[in-house]
Amino acid sequence: MSKTLYLLKPGELTLKGGNRQSFEAVLRRNLAALLKGTGAQVSTTNGRFFVRCPEGSELQAEDALNHLVGISGWAKTRICEKEKPSVLAACVEEGRLLVSKGIKTFKVEARRTDKSFPLNSYEIECQAGDAICEAFPNLKVDVHEPEGIVSVEIREKAFIYGIANQGLRGLPVGTAGRGLLLLSGGIDSPVAGFMMACRGMSLEAVYFHAYPYTSNEARQKTVKLAEIVGRYSLGMRLFVINFTPLQMRIKERSPEEWRTVLLRMAMMDCAEKLAIRRGNKCLVSGESLSQVASQTIENITCTQSRVTLPVLRPLIGTNKEQIIGMAKKLGTYETSILPYEDCCVLFSPPHPILRGDPEEAWKLYEALECGDLIEEALRAKELERCGYPAKP
């Protein structure tokens, strides 16, 4: 059975020094996990990863590569002997593919690890470029802004590829500890989780609902979002916690304008307890500075005043338009805008406090006496496993 060869370029991990091998080992493990069931084989040589995929599994393998964090790019690759005629012929075939894609300009980029090859990198680029132009006169060389690039790598064999796909970059998932994502059914938190996965962080997630005031559809919407993010983070455990008794306590005992901030404080309090028990090292939130009343700097200070774990907010400096753009690329946007309300909007005051005082917030929170309710909510938590491998 013939096999298709893919060449993968590692991303940021190439900047690592003495611990680079450990990052590569994690990347290889993640790659093997994503390719499980495809029959593909993974190998590494001198800073490159190779995937040999059996015929018929290409779509599944390419979908896996598109969800692999830690590579700068990948390409379907030709392999040939390190002989000049074979290399130039392979370059011409890649030029043919560029033409079939409607590409008008190109350049050749060569890298020669094996110095015994008779042409140096510049000579390879010149002669391969000439061969492609001779075969396809309408294809012009543009070394500054080419529409396409034919890459040649002379290693233990010669590898030639023309249509390269951009990777997710970042660091392999699992190299930066594990955090607990506060996941809602909105647009922001799934993007925040994805961004932390791209920094190498493994993720678990917690979702607070207020059943029966919030619908089962709202819960399933969040499960779907966790599944999408989980395809990038190699799976995700989603803990579902019923916050209805907490919200009723807040409604009964607190000033109306403080309800949202106090709810956020209770969520952080509960999430931290769960995170510590699960061995997570931080909380991850989708907050963006001043996007809504609960996210002013004063109210963020109130919100996190109950926790000691680091609270990572990868979206803090972004605006809504940027977040929506990222959500569309991630594939969560269409799910996030489904019209099922989360518990955050339940009992939401018409005029929430904008600049809460942390000392006053602390006193109001203490007066809620919600410790037992949080413990009961944690005991009754439910688990959803949102995983991988990615489906074609």
Side-chain angles (χ1 to χ4, degrees):
M1 179 182 293
S2 63
K3 292 190 176 183
T4 302
L5 178 68
Y6 297 94
L7 180 150
L8 285 61
K9 294 181 178 180
E12 191 177 329
L13 65 84
T14 59
L15 302 176
K16 300 299 178 184
N19 56 354
R20 175 174 168 170
Q21 286 187 339
S22 64
F23 281 80
E24 289 183 342
V26 175
L27 181 61
R28 179 167 178 152
R29 183 189 67 198
N30 294 351
L31 178 57
L34 287 170
L35 290 168
K36 187 177 181 181
T38 65
Q41 297 175 318
V42 179
S43 60
T44 56
T45 304
N46 297 324
R48 290 286 187 266
F49 285 68
F50 297 94
V51 173
R52 287 175 171 80
C53 176
E55 186 177 358
S57 296
E58 288 90 348
L59 286 178
Q60 194 174 352
E62 292 175 11
D63 187 73
L65 297 180
N66 284 329
H67 287 82
L68 179 66
V69 175
I71 59 173
S72 61
W74 60 271
K76 190 179 290 185
T77 305
R78 298 176 191 275
I79 184 170
C80 65
E81 296 300 324
K82 290 183 288 186
E83 298 172 350
K84 176 181 166 182
S86 299
V87 170
L88 296 185
C91 289
V92 169
E93 289 306 309
E94 289 300 330
R96 188 187 309 278
L97 289 178
L98 295 184
V99 172
S100 70
K101 297 290 183 181
I103 290 173
K104 304 294 184 184
T105 60
F106 81 104
K107 72 174 181 180
V108 177
E109 287 184 348
R111 182 174 180 176
R112 187 187 61 156
T113 303
D114 181 358
K115 304 302 182 187
S116 67
F117 190 72
L119 303 179
N120 62 32
S121 296
Y122 179 71
E123 291 169 335
I124 295 171
E125 291 169 354
C126 292
Q127 294 194 24
D130 288 343
I132 293 171
C133 288
E134 183 177 348
F136 309 102
N138 293 330
L139 194 57
K140 305 298 182 186
V141 172
D142 183 343
V143 296
H144 300 293
E145 296 183 355
E147 297 175 19
I149 297 175
V150 174
S151 298
V152 180
E153 297 193 17
I154 305 297
R155 298 171 173 270
E156 66 280 7
K157 296 280 187 178
F159 300 93
I160 295 94
Y161 51 96
I163 308 293
N165 300 271
Q166 192 169 29
L168 293 173
R169 301 182 183 277
L171 294 169
V173 173
T175 58
R178 193 177 68 198
L180 182 66
L181 170 67
L182 279 78
L183 184 65
S184 74
I187 297 172
D188 302 347
S189 55
V191 177
F194 169 73
M195 291 183 69
M196 294 316 302
C198 287
R199 297 310 306 153
M201 180 166 280
S202 299
L203 292 171
E204 293 187 329
V206 59
Y207 168 62
F208 297 100
H209 72 149
Y211 187 80
Y213 295 100
T214 55
S215 65
N216 191 50
E217 286 83 358
R219 171 175 172 162
Q220 291 308 312
K221 168 184 170 183
T222 307
V223 171
K224 176 64 177 176
L225 292 172
E227 288 175 344
I228 296 173
V229 178
R231 293 177 68 184
Y232 297 92
S233 63
L234 282 88
M236 183 184 294
R237 287 183 174 87
L238 172 65
F239 295 96
V240 180
I241 294 180
N242 190 338
F243 242 40
T244 303
L246 266 297
Q247 290 190 263
M248 298 303 293
R249 176 70 60 86
I250 292 170
K251 181 176 181 291
E252 293 165 359
R253 295 193 182 183
S254 63
E256 183 181 64
E257 68 272 19
W258 275 92
R259 287 177 187 167
T260 301
V261 171
L262 292 172
L263 175 62
R264 296 286 300 169
M265 291 174 71
M267 288 178 172
M268 284 282 182
D269 193 357
C270 185
E272 182 181 61
K273 288 180 169 60
L274 176 61
I276 291 172
R277 293 170 193 181
R278 294 289 308 164
N280 293 298
K281 303 301 182 186
C282 66
L283 302 178
V284 178
S285 165
E287 291 163 306
S288 169
L289 186 62
S290 297
Q291 183 182 115
V292 294
S294 64
Q295 295 173 18
T296 63
I297 187 60
E298 292 84 357
N299 286 349
I300 285 176
T301 303
C302 295
T303 298
Q304 72 174 43
S305 64
R306 301 292 303 190
V307 301
T308 56
L309 284 180
V311 181
L312 305 185
R313 300 177 173 89
L315 304 180
I316 196 67
T318 58
N319 60 45
K320 199 67 179 183
E321 185 178 357
Q322 292 171 314
I323 297 171
I324 289 174
M326 289 188 280
K328 289 181 177 177
K329 289 183 179 178
L330 174 60
T332 54
Y333 179 74
E334 294 301 325
T335 301
S336 291
I337 62 174
L338 292 174
Y340 307 120
E341 291 184 339
D342 277 326
C343 67
C344 293
V345 300
L346 195 65
F347 309 134
S348 180
H351 303 291
I353 192 165
L354 293 177
R355 305 188 188 286
D357 175 67
E359 186 173 344
E360 184 178 1
W362 186 279
K363 291 178 181 176
L364 290 170
Y365 191 81
E366 288 288 302
L368 293 174
E369 298 178 305
C370 58
D372 290 345
L373 293 180
I374 287 179
E375 288 300 326
E376 179 56 34
L378 285 168
R379 277 194 293 272
K381 67 181 181 298
E382 299 173 79
L383 174 62
E384 300 270 6
R385 295 181 184 275
C386 307
Y388 66 99
K391 297 176 182 178

